[in-house]
Amino acid sequence: MSRNCVFTQVFVKLQKMKGTLSSTHLNSIRTLRISSVISNDINNEVPSNTSHQQYDMFYPGHISTSLVQKSLLAAGSGIACLLNPARDDMLCALGETTGPPALKYIHSKMMSDSVGRQILEEKPVINTTTINLEKLGSLPDGTFGKEYWTFLKTNGFSPDARRPVNFIDDAELMYVMLRYRQCHDLVHTLLGMPPNMLGEVAVKWFEAIQTRLPMCISAALFGPIRLGPKHRRKYFDIYLPWAIRSAYNSKCLMNVYFEKHWEQDITEFRQELNLEPAPVPLIKTGKNTKTK
């Protein structure tokens, strides 16, 4: 399989994941594909077909890519994310192509914690097959499970919407990325932050500090640019200091077996984790989320 074919395969998959791309994104992809062809001429260490077949067997869904291809994919997906932060397919590609060093850091933190080791050994996944949403909805108000169910229902989310991992070249690190991705809405629930721009930026600061993922760091740094004047003031005065303080003081959430705490009171759960909830709650009013 040629280097250019693999690169084309990557973006064909991304197109299928999201649908038709905008003309801006298509132009970026064409540019990156041309760069990939050029890189073929100056870089001849392409593995044989046999080694590629073995390379693709890391885990189901893995797409083999070289360092050059990962760099081009990271650049292209980064540009796409700046143009449209709602492109979760590009966010995932950016996270996977830039994340391995941070994923190794997270993995080491999990291995040094008894619960983290248990998670890595059992490798639980969060989707509608493994959790009973109807049961979570029937739990008493104020429990972690009920709050999570309310978060999903209010925002029209589903645990099944989290994308699989494709570009991580290590099965163990692939699971770490998948676990991070599937726990994102649980972090929102614990922090009490909705998935609007202000809430996402605050959560990304928390995640950036705890995980060191470049994707989270980039979102935390560049996300505030899109905030309006009112939310920008609240962000700098309230939510940024709180997110940084809370991330440093609380237990690493990658070492939390969330599925074992559904029936626990969320206030008690936060106290166990030494997790400080948002100092000024964000409330939902109709289609708009605003601060009190």
Side-chain angles (χ1 to χ4, degrees):
M1 183 183 299
S2 72
R3 187 183 297 268
N4 189 43
C5 287
V6 173
F7 194 79
T8 303
Q9 175 191 9
V10 168
F11 278 104
V12 168
K13 182 174 180 65
L14 290 178
Q15 284 180 295
K16 290 179 180 178
M17 289 158 70
K18 192 65 181 179
T20 305
L21 296 175
S22 68
S23 59
T24 301
H25 296 149
L26 286 172
N27 289 334
S28 298
I29 290 172
R30 292 188 188 103
T31 301
L32 292 174
R33 289 179 62 185
I34 291 170
S35 299
S36 181
V37 173
I38 295 173
S39 72
N40 266 337
D41 297 332
I42 61 176
N43 197 328
N44 296 317
E45 74 285 0
V46 182
S48 66
N49 288 336
T50 302
S51 61
H52 261 294
Q53 291 170 1
Q54 184 178 6
Y55 191 66
D56 284 336
M57 294 304 293
F58 277 125
Y59 52 85
H62 175 257
I63 298 176
S64 61
T65 48
S66 69
L67 178 60
V68 172
Q69 291 164 344
K70 281 184 173 62
S71 299
L72 293 171
L73 180 56
S77 58
I79 293 171
C81 290
L82 288 175
L83 294 173
N84 184 3
R87 290 294 304 272
D88 62 331
D89 55 340
M90 292 297 170
L91 284 169
C92 290
L94 178 63
E96 293 173 30
T97 52
T98 62
L103 293 174
K104 291 177 183 178
Y105 165 76
I106 299 169
H107 186 269
S108 67
K109 293 202 68 165
M110 295 178 75
M111 287 298 295
S112 65
D113 182 89
S114 59
V115 178
R117 285 196 304 274
Q118 182 183 7
I119 293 171
L120 289 175
E121 290 170 2
E122 298 179 4
K123 291 181 170 53
V125 294
I126 299 174
N127 55 42
T128 53
T129 301
T130 60
I131 61 175
N132 188 335
L133 289 180
E134 184 177 348
K135 181 179 179 181
L136 294 186
S138 68
L139 292 174
D141 291 341
T143 57
F144 174 56
K146 182 62 174 286
E147 293 295 321
Y148 174 57
W149 177 86
T150 301
F151 178 87
L152 294 177
K153 182 180 180 182
T154 300
N155 296 290
F157 292 165
S158 168
D160 295 334
R162 292 299 168 185
R163 296 184 180 277
V165 179
N166 299 117
F167 304 117
I168 303 294
D169 298 336
D170 181 287
E172 195 75 2
L173 297 184
M174 177 278 290
Y175 175 74
V176 174
M177 175 60 84
L178 181 66
R179 180 69 179 177
Y180 156 77
R181 195 171 286 172
Q182 293 184 339
C183 289
H184 180 72
D185 289 340
L186 297 169
V187 176
H188 269 279
T189 302
L190 276 176
L191 294 178
M193 300 299 287
N196 66 347
M197 184 57 69
L198 177 57
E200 287 293 352
V201 171
V203 171
K204 279 294 182 283
W205 266 108
F206 184 96
E207 293 177 337
I209 291 170
Q210 289 214 340
T211 68
R212 301 183 183 178
L213 283 167
M215 174 195 66
C216 296
I217 296 171
S218 298
L221 291 174
F222 294 107
I225 297 173
R226 291 180 172 268
L227 293 175
K230 178 183 175 182
H231 276 183
R232 190 176 295 117
R233 286 195 301 271
K234 289 181 178 293
Y235 166 72
F236 284 110
D237 293 343
I238 299 172
Y239 294 103
L240 176 58
W242 158 73
I244 295 174
R245 182 174 64 248
S246 186
Y248 277 117
N249 292 337
S250 71
K251 177 182 176 69
C252 177
L253 297 190
M254 289 296 292
N255 289 329
V256 177
Y257 214 135
F258 293 103
E259 300 91 325
K260 297 181 180 296
H261 296 273
W262 297 133
E263 299 180 10
Q264 187 173 2
D265 179 81
I266 192 169
T267 300
E268 178 185 298
F269 191 21
R270 286 167 174 158
Q271 290 173 348
E272 285 186 8
L273 300 174
N274 198 33
L275 184 68
E276 178 186 348
V280 179
L282 291 175
I283 59 176
K284 192 81 174 178
T285 57
K287 294 183 178 179
N288 299 314
T289 304
K290 65 180 183 180
T291 55
K292 287 183 177 179

